[in-house]
């Protein structure tokens, strides 16, 4: 094992440090966030920090830096209060990655990157037709992270669209069957292969391996 | 596609809703968090919400619910100010999952689940010997999320230990080669297979596929 001390990280150049530190949290979620401004201009941004916050009420969060390449997304969310989160799959991950380029405000990343905006009835923000799992979100809280001038954007789920066969009878969604990818670092895209679902852990009870439907493999 | 409205989510029973909503953010990071109280009692908890916050200063966050099964972890971090984050790999993911059981305070999950505590010189919190990537963290900020009584725990990286061959010359860490897993929902564990690294996206520039070292596959 090699040890990196705080000073070793400080001594890296900015790009190397960004690549290194971005790998430390483990695999990240791969989503594109769709927004629209008051002039009907659509925007789409790759976000690898979407995180589950709670299921009742159903809340998701993601981390943004207000003045970064994703500033148009930030401004549209503050203005309209709504956005979509769209899982990125093997079929369009290159196009999703391309949305991270710094396009001008008047450019729609949908158009520039070859993705298709669609709208749920009465919902202002566009979702991605190519995505097999899309979520309509309502902004509920912007939480500043003092230590590095970022913010956690907290939203409540308004609707979910998903390929029906991926939803199992116990509520689990087989996102692997949707081709959803995982991200490592700034630029690594990975497909997945399920090892197992595991039973709910209790002290003094042996774990069971479950199949994708949530049934014990032993029974 | 099947559409789930807000009311459809509300109508699910709690367990089904938890399984469903936990799949929506995409793949999650698989880590165990190591802590120690003032009586030298070790604690280890599975956490699937570790998220990258920034690389300069190097910050990671994760979401906790103060009164949940991970309350001992929460209390130890508040008391000692330090903790470790350890990537979970194929070799011990069942043991890592078992740490999510509600053990009594006087039980060390290391011992109960068959994992080995180790200590970095002078660092109070234990890390996991079985993990190929471990991080020593200093608490810097606890940010309440008003909307559902959780909190974002923000920490700064003090040290990193990683298998040296996984660190590439440009700073990227090949966490797939470490066997690091990704999680879906509450209980799905997945291995990964790299599709590609992709070049830094710029408008009007074609993306290149990179190999694991960050070199263009076309050159």
């Amino acid at each position: 094992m090699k040890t990196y001390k705080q000073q070793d990280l400080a001594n890296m150049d900015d790009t190397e440090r960004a690549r290194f530190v971005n790998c430390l949290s483990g695999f990240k979620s791969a989503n594109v966030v769709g927004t629209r401004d008051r002039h009907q201009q659509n925007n789409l941004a790759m976000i690898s920090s979407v995180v589950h916050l709670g299921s009742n009420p159903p809340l998701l969060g993601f981390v943004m830096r207000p003045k970064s390449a994703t500033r148009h997304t930030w401004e549209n969310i503050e203005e309209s209060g709504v956005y979509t989160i769209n899982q990125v799959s093997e079929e369009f991950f290159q196009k999703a990655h391309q949305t991270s380029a710094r396009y001008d405000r008047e450019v729609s990343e949908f158009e520039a990157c070859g993705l298709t905006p669609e709208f749920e009835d009465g919902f202002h923000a566009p979702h991605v037709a190519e995505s097999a799992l899309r979520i309509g979100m309502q902004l509920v809280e912007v939480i500043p992270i003092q230590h590095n001038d970022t913010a956690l954007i907290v939203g409540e789920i308004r609707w979910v669209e998903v390929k029906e066969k991926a939803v199992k009878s116990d509520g689990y969604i087989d996102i692997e069957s949707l081709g959803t990818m995982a991200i490592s670092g700034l630029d690594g895209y990975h497909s997945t292969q399920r090892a197992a679902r595991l039973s709910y852990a209790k002290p003094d009870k042996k774990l069971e391996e479950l199949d994708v439907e949530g049934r014990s493999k032993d029974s």
Side-chain angles (χ1 to χ4, degrees), chain A:
Chain A
M1 302 287 276
K2 182 166 179 186
T3 304
Y4 295 78
K5 299 284 191 187
Q6 214 169 353
Q7 194 56 45
D8 298 323
L9 295 182
N11 289 344
M12 291 179 179
D13 73 47
D14 284 351
T15 312
E16 181 186 5
R17 188 190 314 106
R19 288 202 195 93
F20 184 88
V21 177
N22 267 279
C23 292
L24 296 178
S25 59
F27 286 103
K28 310 188 212 185
S29 53
N31 291 286
V32 278
V33 170
T35 58
R36 183 174 232 208
D37 73 12
R38 76 183 75 138
H39 308 295
Q40 324 304 328
Q41 176 67 47
N42 294 330
N43 191 283
L44 192 63
M46 186 78 207
I47 301 280
S48 63
S49 61
V50 176
V51 65
H52 174 84
L53 296 178
S55 57
N56 191 17
L59 299 180
L60 302 176
F62 67 95
V63 180
M64 284 202 89
R65 195 177 285 270
K67 286 167 189 168
S68 72
T70 49
R71 69 196 176 285
H72 300 152
T73 296
W74 171 283
E75 289 161 7
N76 291 350
I77 291 175
E78 291 222 305
E79 181 183 297
S80 70
V82 292
Y83 51 104
T84 66
I85 293 176
N86 307 264
Q87 288 192 3
V88 171
S89 70
E90 292 150 0
E91 286 162 36
F92 68 99
F93 75 96
Q94 295 96 337
K95 293 174 179 177
H97 185 76
Q98 181 63 32
T99 67
S100 62
R102 281 179 178 264
Y103 290 103
D104 292 337
R105 171 178 294 284
E106 63 274 15
V107 174
S108 162
E109 287 84 1
F110 283 96
E111 204 169 316
C113 305
L115 292 167
T116 312
E118 276 187 353
F119 291 87
E120 184 71 7
D121 264 0
F123 199 78
H124 178 73
H127 59 264
V128 177
E130 288 79 0
S131 173
L133 195 164
R134 322 127 176 182
I135 313 165
M137 302 293 302
Q138 172 83 48
L139 176 69
V140 294
E141 206 173 341
V142 175
I143 306 179
I145 301 171
Q146 308 292 350
H147 217 70
N148 72 342
D149 290 329
T150 56
L152 181 70
I153 312 294
V154 178
E156 187 164 341
I157 295 170
R158 289 288 179 255
W159 53 262
V160 177
E161 282 183 356
V162 55
K163 281 195 183 161
E164 187 163 7
K165 67 171 185 185
V167 183
K168 302 306 168 187
S169 57
D170 70 348
Y172 177 79
I173 308 173
D174 182 4
I175 62 174
E176 181 168 290
S177 76
L178 301 176
T180 299
M181 301 199 89
I183 291 179
S184 64
L186 293 167
D187 56 17
Y189 289 81
H190 305 253
S191 298
T192 66
Q193 184 162 19
R194 179 176 295 99
R197 291 182 64 185
L198 296 177
S199 59
Y200 187 80
K202 294 182 178 179
D204 305 319
K205 183 162 177 285
K206 198 172 176 308
L207 280 181
E208 288 184 293
E209 294 209 351
L210 310 178
D211 67 15
V212 68
E213 306 281 350
R215 294 174 300 221
S216 171
K217 285 187 177 175
D218 305 328
S219 63

